[in-house]
């Protein structure tokens, strides 16, 4: 379906042409003065110079052409030469009817279906997920869904940190605690046990312990580096222990991501591409891209137009060891060979902005990707506490993700009970808890996604869980309200089939319809900009427009049955659209709350 603004502009273009002016002047935008009109066109002002004519005269001539228009109900020329526009209620009605009948409410499939890899989450094995992992997970999940909805072929990859020093640290601590484990016996040639010699609870405690010890004890750190080296060079026992750590840790990560409704198609990690590194290094050397600098192997990536210093991309350290960079480049090589992506989108903390700039330049320059492969980095800002500093626990430590979610769920539960109390209905304990989880997730995700990704924001439990304002619970409350009207209507009149949208009977109804009509334009922009906040802004406007309409209109007691059914049709479309949108954001609505 064409976008509503394009349809309106087309009508205006014809009028400019009929009046003898350049049709390009007929571009229509949303009104800057919603009190006066719904849309506006400033083309007469732009044309005044070209045609040596007063803008108001041009505007009046164009308005004259639109007297019989099927699109505009009102076209008024206002000084100094604006065209203030209101569209016909029948035009909006027809547009919404078409949306109702179209796939994806009229979002056109892309001209070319792209293969897109979204790299997000970025969890590190053997370390518990903390609040720093929340944003890349939430944003990445939504970006993945938005790309998929836009009609592309999308793969989500977690790209775990599973190969670095943290592995050596865990192994070292295990060795200190259980030196007799068979994994440490270099002469052992038999099969290793199938059971891991630790539980997830132990594993979570082991890493921080080991990490703290290594900072104080140089010998301990050296041992951990040695263990890392052994693992990376394929020593059997270390490899077997690593497999245990992976299994136990990944299972736990999956549980955590599940509770966030975040899922990945690929659970690949840094370890998966280690074997490709020698081949890649060889290629970079042979191509004349990589050279030695102070013993390290680097590729220059600075460009003439740079206004800031962009240091070379380091491929190997002077001791020959691979780094974070090396693995990311090898992963790009691997993805190109296996999946042939047209586009790769990375979601990480924005402190990695420069890093990804280097990686992308290096990949382009050395031909690891094609010239037209799109490489996009979405750098997210920090989630801060109310003091404006990175979010911490009350004791000042790093907050674990599970604890943060629990805190939100508890507050949500309190508000849900309170709400039931004021409304005077009973809510059973199990249902309240289930609902608190669903709404709590919406609170966290919406609180995050309604901000532009690159901006920092303040995590405010009280505000995020509020049923009023620009919040997830407010959006859900609106959906639940519509659901309840629809089910009451079904009980009254029974018939929810053949719901046909009617012309708006009043301004608030028309406003709601005009907001809904922006769907395909919104979905397209959200995809192009990889910007979930566009979806949030859209549904917030809709929720406001709906609630305004709802407060002005007695829907269920309306006596004109046809009128009533038209409203029910509009409500149903509003609900369907809101539900698709929250699914793009990665959460869902309860039946009641
Ligand atoms: N594991 C990394 C971290 O915790 C994030 C990985 C992001 N993805 C990537 N391809 N580098 O910082």
């Amino acid at each position: 379906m064409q976008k509503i603004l394009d349809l309106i502009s087309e009508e205006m273009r014809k009028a400019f042409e009929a009046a003898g002016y350049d049709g390009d002047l007929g571009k229509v935008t949303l009104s800057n003065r919603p009190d006066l009109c719904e849309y506006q066109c400033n083309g007469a002002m732009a044309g005044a110079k070209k045609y040596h004519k007063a803008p108001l005269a041009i505007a009046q001539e164009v308005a004259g052409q639109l007297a019989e228009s099927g699109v505009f109900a009102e076209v008024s020329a206002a000084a100094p030469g604006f065209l203030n526009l209101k569209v016909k209620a029948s035009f909006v009605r027809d547009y919404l009817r078409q949306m109702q009948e179209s796939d994806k409410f009229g979002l056109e499939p892309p001209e070319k279906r792209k293969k897109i890899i979204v790299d997000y989450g970025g969890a590190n094995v053997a370390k518990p997920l903390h609040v720093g992992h929340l944003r890349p997970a939430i944003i990445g999940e939504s970006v993945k869904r938005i790309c998929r909805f836009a009609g592309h072929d999308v793969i989500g990859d977690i790209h775990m940190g599973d190969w670095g020093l943290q592995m050596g640290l865990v192994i070292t601590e295990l060795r200190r605690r259980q030196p007799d484990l068979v994994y440490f016996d270099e002469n052992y040639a038999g099969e290793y046990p199938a059971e891991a010699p630790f539980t997830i609870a132990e594993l979570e405690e082991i890493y921080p312990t080991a990490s703290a010890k290594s900072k104080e004890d140089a010998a301990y750190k050296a041992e951990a580096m040695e263990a890392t080296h052994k693992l990376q060079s394929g020593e059997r026992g270390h490899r077997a222990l690593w497999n245990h750590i992976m299994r136990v840790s990944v299972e736990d990560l999956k549980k955590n991501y599940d509770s966030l409704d975040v899922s990945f198609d690929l659970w690949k990690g840094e370890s998966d591409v280690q074997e490709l590194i020698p081949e890649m290094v060889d290629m970079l050397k042979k191509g004349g891209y990589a050279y030695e600098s102070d013993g390290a192997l680097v590729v220059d990536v600075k460009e003439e137009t740079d206004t800031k210093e962009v240091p070379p991309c380091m491929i190997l350290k002077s001791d020959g060891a691979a780094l974070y960079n090396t693995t990311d480049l090898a992963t790009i090589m691997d993805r190109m060979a296996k999946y042939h992506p047209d586009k790769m989108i990375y979601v990480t903390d924005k402190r990695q902005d420069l890093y990804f700039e280097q990686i992308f330049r290096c990949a382009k320059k050395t031909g690891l990707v094609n010239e037209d492969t799109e490489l996009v980095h979405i750098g997210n800002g920090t989630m801060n506490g109310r003091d404006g500093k990175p979010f911490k626990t009350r004791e000042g430590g790093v907050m674990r993700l599970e604890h943060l979610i629990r805190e939100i769920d508890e507050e949500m539960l309190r508000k849900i009970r309170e709400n039931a109390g004021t409304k005077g209905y009973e809510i059973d304990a199990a249902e309240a808890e289930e609902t608190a989880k669903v709404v709590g997730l919406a609170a966290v995700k919406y609180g995050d996604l309604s901000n532009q990704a690159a901006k920092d924001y303040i995590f405010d439990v009280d505000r995020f869980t509020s049923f009023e304002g620009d919040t997830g619970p407010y959006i859900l409350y609106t959906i639940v309200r519509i659901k309840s009207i629809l089910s009451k209507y079904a009980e009254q009149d029974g018939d929810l089939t053949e719901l046909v949208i009617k012309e708006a009977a009043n301004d608030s109804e028309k406003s709601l319809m005009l907001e809904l009509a922006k769907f395909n334009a919104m979905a397209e922009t959200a995809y192009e900009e990889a910007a979930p906040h566009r979806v949030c802004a859209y549904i917030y406007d809709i929720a406001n427009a709906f609630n305004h309409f709802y407060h002005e209109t007695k829907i269920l007691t309306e006596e004109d049955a046809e009128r009533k059914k038209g409203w029910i049709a509009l409500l149903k479309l509003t609900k369907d659209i809101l539900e698709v949108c929250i699914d793009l954001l990665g959460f869902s609505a309860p039946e009641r709350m």
Side-chain angles (χ1 to χ4, degrees):
M1 258 175 93
Q2 261 187 298
K3 285 171 229 149
I4 188 161
L5 255 183
D6 291 346
L7 280 177
I8 297 171
S9 287
E10 216 165 274
E11 181 79 354
M12 191 49 86
R13 157 186 283 276
K14 281 191 236 143
F16 269 84
E17 280 170 358
Y21 301 107
D22 182 355
D24 287 348
L25 295 169
K27 197 173 141 25
V28 173
T29 57
L30 283 176
S31 162
N32 286 333
R33 291 284 308 271
D35 53 324
L36 291 180
C37 55
E38 294 156 353
Y39 299 93
Q40 68 184 54
C41 170
N42 302 346
M45 249 107 72
K49 226 186 183 158
K50 183 167 170 190
Y51 295 102
H52 305 288
K53 219 172 187 174
L56 190 61
I58 298 179
Q60 278 159 348
E61 285 171 48
V62 172
Q65 298 293 333
L66 288 165
E68 305 290 305
S69 165
V71 174
F72 297 112
E74 255 180 71
V75 181
S76 61
F82 295 114
L83 281 157
N84 291 343
L85 311 166
K86 280 193 182 163
V87 292
K88 285 205 156 116
S90 58
F91 169 74
V92 195
R93 173 203 61 200
D94 293 346
Y95 192 82
L96 258 60
R97 281 185 184 171
Q98 230 186 312
M99 280 176 74
Q100 244 184 332
E101 279 153 27
S102 304
D103 190 28
K104 297 181 181 174
F105 311 114
L107 175 69
E108 293 286 324
E111 264 165 48
K112 175 183 181 285
R113 186 176 156 90
K114 290 183 185 168
K115 170 75 76 81
I116 302 175
I117 296 181
V118 186
D119 176 318
Y120 66 107
N124 297 313
V125 168
K127 298 190 200 174
L129 284 174
H130 59 79
V131 294
H133 292 108
L134 187 67
R135 296 209 70 195
I138 291 181
I139 297 167
E141 178 69 23
S142 178
V143 167
K144 178 186 75 179
R145 293 178 185 211
I146 289 170
C147 292
R148 217 167 253 168
F149 186 77
H152 299 287
D153 184 2
V154 188
I155 301 174
D157 182 8
I158 183 168
H159 197 79
M160 282 181 288
D162 60 359
W163 203 236
L165 182 62
Q166 85 259 27
M167 294 303 200
L169 283 165
V170 171
I171 294 174
T172 297
E173 185 57 25
L174 277 169
R175 183 173 200 150
R176 295 263 176 129
R177 293 182 188 187
Q178 308 179 58
D180 298 333
L181 283 178
V182 58
Y183 307 92
F184 301 120
D185 177 357
E186 281 172 21
N187 298 318
Y188 183 75
E191 291 246 338
Y192 290 109
E195 274 298 299
F198 47 78
T199 63
I200 182 65
E202 284 167 290
L203 191 57
E204 289 191 337
E205 172 267 319
I206 287 173
Y207 173 74
T209 308
S211 168
K213 281 190 188 169
S214 76
K215 281 181 192 129
E216 274 157 21
D217 181 346
Y220 191 96
K221 170 125 193 232
E223 203 178 317
M225 283 167 71
E226 169 68 17
T228 312
H229 184 73
K230 276 195 181 151
L231 165 67
Q232 296 185 343
S233 51
E235 199 278 323
R236 263 185 91 235
H238 283 62
R239 218 26 217 243
L241 259 185
W242 178 83
N243 281 327
H244 285 311
I245 301 174
M246 287 296 285
R247 237 184 338 93
V248 171
S249 183
V250 167
E251 191 185 318
D252 184 61
L253 285 173
K254 284 195 173 150
K255 228 171 46 208
N256 269 282
Y257 282 116
D258 269 354
S259 73
L260 285 174
D261 216 339
V262 167
S263 66
F264 302 93
D265 306 292
L266 296 178
W267 279 81
K268 295 219 178 208
E270 297 175 354
S271 64
D272 283 293
V273 294
Q274 295 307 315
E275 274 159 28
L276 297 175
I277 291 176
E279 181 191 330
M280 182 183 77
V281 169
D282 213 43
M283 191 279 280
L284 296 180
K285 280 189 188 158
K286 284 212 181 98
Y289 301 113
Y291 67 94
E292 264 187 41
S293 163
D294 292 332
L297 192 69
V298 303
V299 172
D300 276 331
V301 291
K302 61 172 184 288
E303 286 170 7
E304 268 175 31
T305 48
D306 286 343
T307 51
K308 59 175 190 308
E309 161 106 10
V310 183
C313 186
M314 197 187 284
I315 307 296
L316 294 176
K317 287 200 278 194
S318 50
D319 63 0
L323 321 83
Y324 186 46
N325 307 20
T326 326
T327 307
D328 258 321
L329 288 166
T331 302
I332 289 178
M333 188 166 100
D334 189 38
R335 288 176 181 162
M336 289 305 286
K338 287 206 177 92
Y339 310 105
H340 318 288
D342 301 290
K343 185 167 174 169
M344 286 179 247
I345 303 176
Y346 295 77
V347 188
T348 75
D349 191 292
K350 74 176 171 201
R351 279 170 288 189
Q352 296 190 29
D353 278 354
L354 176 63
Y355 168 77
F356 277 103
E357 181 74 57
Q358 290 173 296
I359 294 295
F360 292 172
R361 285 185 186 187
C362 183
K364 278 261 149 95
K365 173 175 174 175
T366 61
L368 281 178
V369 297
N370 304 328
E371 224 149 272
D372 58 358
T373 310
E374 290 171 78
L375 298 172
V376 181
H377 177 233
I378 301 174
N380 62 264
T382 310
M383 186 177 116
N384 289 324
R386 284 210 236 183
D387 57 358
K389 302 211 184 84
F391 197 86
K392 292 264 157 57
T393 58
R394 283 196 195 92
E395 294 74 38
V398 178
M399 177 78 124
R400 284 180 57 161
L401 204 51
E402 290 172 71
H403 298 165
L404 179 97
I405 304 291
R406 200 182 306 150
E407 200 169 302
I408 280 272
D409 287 355
E410 277 165 13
E411 177 58 19
M412 217 55 254
L413 184 59
R414 205 185 60 72
K415 288 208 165 107
I416 285 169
R417 288 214 180 104
E418 189 181 273
N419 188 49
T422 42
K423 298 254 165 68
Y425 62 81
E426 287 287 315
I427 183 158
D428 87 47
E431 186 192 340
E433 259 172 55
E434 204 34 58
T435 305
K437 275 197 194 132
V438 174
V439 186
L441 187 63
V444 173
K445 287 194 167 185
Y446 191 93
D448 188 307
L449 296 170
S450 54
N451 300 284
Q452 277 181 44
K455 294 218 170 109
D456 298 347
Y457 72 88
I458 290 182
F459 189 86
D460 183 337
V461 178
D462 211 40
R463 188 170 80 75
F464 285 9
T465 56
S466 169
F467 287 5
E468 276 151 44
D470 192 4
T471 70
Y474 171 64
I475 303 290
L476 296 190
Y477 203 75
T478 305
I479 295 176
V480 166
R481 173 172 274 166
I482 300 178
K483 282 189 187 178
S484 138
I485 302 171
L486 292 179
S487 63
K488 279 187 194 138
Y489 176 81
E491 281 163 27
Q492 270 183 0
D493 302 65
D495 188 16
L496 277 172
T497 58
E498 286 179 58
L499 291 174
V500 184
I501 288 182
K502 304 251 158 38
E503 263 184 53
N506 57 45
D507 280 352
S508 64
E509 185 181 4
K510 192 175 176 202
S511 298
L512 171 61
M513 292 170 88
L514 287 174
E515 290 299 342
L516 290 169
K518 294 175 186 165
F519 180 83
N520 57 3
M522 175 284 294
E524 197 178 290
T525 314
Y527 164 71
E528 277 165 5
E529 297 176 0
H533 75 270
R534 298 279 183 187
V535 183
C536 294
Y538 172 77
I539 58 178
Y540 182 51
D541 286 344
I542 288 189
N544 283 335
F546 168 76
N547 286 307
H548 188 195
F549 164 64
Y550 169 79
H551 287 300
E552 290 200 339
T553 319
K554 299 262 166 295
I555 299 171
L556 288 172
T557 50
E558 170 63 41
E559 280 173 7
D560 178 343
E562 276 306 296
R563 180 77 275 151
K564 180 152 81 173
K565 196 162 183 186
W567 283 334
I568 293 297
L570 179 60
L571 261 58
K572 170 82 167 48
L573 180 65
T574 307
K575 178 188 81 89
D576 290 347
I577 288 181
L578 286 175
E579 284 188 323
V580 163
C581 287
I582 61 172
D583 187 58
L584 292 178
L585 298 173
F587 58 88
S588 57
E591 279 316 304
R592 46 183 214 155
M593 60 191 267

